[in-house]
Amino acid sequence: MNGGGPQSWLFRPYALTGGRTVAAVDLALETLVLTTETGRRALASVPSEQRTILRLCREAISVVEVAARLDVPLGVARVLVADLVVAGSVQLHGSALPDPGATGYRALLEKVLHGLDEL
Amino acid sequence: MASMSSDITTMPLKIVVAGGFSVGKTTFIGAISEIDPLATEAAMTDRSIGIDDRGGIATKTATTVAMDFGRIHIGSGMVLYMFGTPGQERFWFMWENLVQGAIGAVVLVDTRRIEDCFPAIDYFEQLGIPFVVGINCFEGAPLHAAEEVREALGVQAPVILMDARERVSVKKTLKRLLEHAISQTAIAGPTARR
């Protein structure tokens, strides 16, 4: 992104979030992000970073992928995605892994094992 | 093979790939990932930007860590993300993010530097996170039987010989992790984790 040391890129990416470091919505690394109809209609009117995210997320990708493809720190991506959630421009799909003691946990693991087997 | 799903019912899942520096975490992920491994950077100060006041010039300081990850769609409606842990211990701040909600972990071991995996094993054992140990077979590394290594590590977890470069071997390791995690549900009750 630029030739500066570790400190220098922090300035610009956080300029994207107006200096904010805490996202409005709690986002796990693997939470999937998908652009909504509202988001598609907003493409022309949003800042370029948000537009890039809305395009990236036309097919659901994870928060961490948004960060990697946008080439911004994870914290910045979380803030930007959270803003889009609040605006209704993207929807989220988090991991549905139940707690280890809960019903359905074992069944889900077996489903994953079966899926791996078929790879 | 499962196709890319853009519908809203795809469920993300994740596992963590841990182990010392250069043990083969990214190789492991790359061997099975449907995308080339990507890197993400996180700043320790993401949640608390500190501003040093030095003669009136505000500077921000940060420790940053890069992590590699990959993904693979499996079954119908699931996508498995695989995250490589930061190699050095001082990046513990990221581990909570990585393991929260994860199915479990694969700890890779290089028999030439076996102690490099101790911190990861300690961490997963303390939190009750299911894990398997994969002895990544490097050229010139001493050959040990899996059982020997298991005793040396003092773990109950499965230990298997594997090759992080080979998709078949990586798949086998992941399956072993799932089998182990499933077996843990039979043994332990709701209080097993955390």
Side-chain angles (χ1 to χ4, degrees):
Chain A
M1 198 165 170
N2 55 58
Q7 295 181 17
S8 54
W9 60 242
L10 268 187
F11 280 97
R12 255 193 62 83
Y14 281 101
L16 299 178
T17 64
R20 288 172 297 146
T21 58
V22 181
V25 175
D26 206 17
L27 298 168
L29 297 171
E30 72 275 16
T31 298
L32 295 179
V33 186
L34 182 68
T35 304
T36 61
E37 186 54 47
T38 304
R40 275 190 284 273
R41 281 188 256 115
L43 265 172
S45 53
V46 296
S48 70
E49 294 80 22
Q50 294 197 9
R51 188 156 56 244
T52 306
I53 294 175
L54 293 174
R55 285 200 178 117
L56 282 172
C57 296
R58 270 187 295 216
E59 288 198 344
I61 61 171
S62 59
V63 170
V64 69
E65 277 176 282
V66 170
R69 297 197 192 276
L70 210 60
D71 195 21
V72 296
L74 188 58
V76 171
R78 276 173 158 154
V79 172
L80 294 174
V81 169
D83 286 350
L84 290 169
V85 171
V86 168
S89 296
V90 298
Q91 55 181 312
L92 303 177
H93 301 278
S95 168
L97 188 70
D99 282 336
T103 325
Y105 178 71
R106 188 194 171 104
L108 180 56
L109 292 186
E110 282 169 355
K111 199 175 163 214
V112 176
L113 176 58
H114 186 63
L116 283 171
D117 205 26
E118 291 183 332
L119 281 179
Chain B
M1 180 180 134
S3 55
M4 261 292 290
S5 173
S6 60
D7 65 53
I8 62 171
T9 57
T10 305
M11 174 171 55
L13 296 156
K14 75 184 167 190
I15 64 127
V16 172
V17 183
F21 185 70
S22 279
V23 74
K25 299 187 288 280
T26 307
T27 304
F28 181 99
I29 291 166
I32 201 161
S33 177
E34 66 200 16
I35 57 171
D36 285 341
L38 294 170
T40 187
E41 288 203 350
M44 191 191 277
T45 59
D46 270 357
R47 289 196 175 265
S48 53
I49 293 280
I51 299 184
D52 296 330
D53 184 29
R54 295 177 189 176
I57 299 168
T59 56
K60 295 185 182 184
T61 58
T63 301
T64 64
V65 56
M67 291 163 298
D68 292 331
F69 68 94
R71 70 166 202 237
I72 178 95
H73 279 75
I74 56 174
S76 58
M78 296 182 292
V79 57
L80 181 68
Y81 283 90
M82 299 163 284
F83 290 95
T85 57
Q88 293 121 295
E89 285 170 59
R90 64 195 177 101
F91 298 128
W92 283 117
F93 72 93
M94 266 312 299
W95 285 59
E96 205 181 298
N97 273 262
L98 295 176
V99 304
Q100 181 79 41
I103 290 170
V106 173
V107 181
L108 296 181
V109 170
D110 177 350
T111 51
R112 295 169 300 183
R113 290 175 303 173
I114 202 168
E115 64 280 359
D116 283 3
C117 75
F118 291 173
I121 288 178
D122 287 344
Y123 184 84
F124 298 134
E125 277 185 343
Q126 273 167 41
L127 291 177
I129 291 166
F131 69 95
V132 296
V133 177
I135 303 167
N136 194 12
C137 301
F138 288 93
E139 227 177 274
L143 282 172
H144 293 291
E147 267 312 300
E148 262 187 75
V149 175
R150 195 159 182 259
E151 272 179 46
L153 294 174
V155 293
Q156 300 297 313
V159 176
I160 63 174
L161 297 170
M162 53 88 64
D163 185 340
R165 299 165 302 182
E166 295 295 326
R167 190 176 194 266
V168 170
S169 186
V170 169
K171 175 177 155 177
K172 183 177 149 209
T173 307
L174 291 174
K175 284 179 61 180
R176 194 68 193 89
L177 172 60
L178 267 297
E179 286 162 6
H180 179 59
I182 289 165
S183 74
Q184 294 297 100
T185 64
I187 295 164
T191 55
R193 276 175 71 163
R194 302 196 201 232

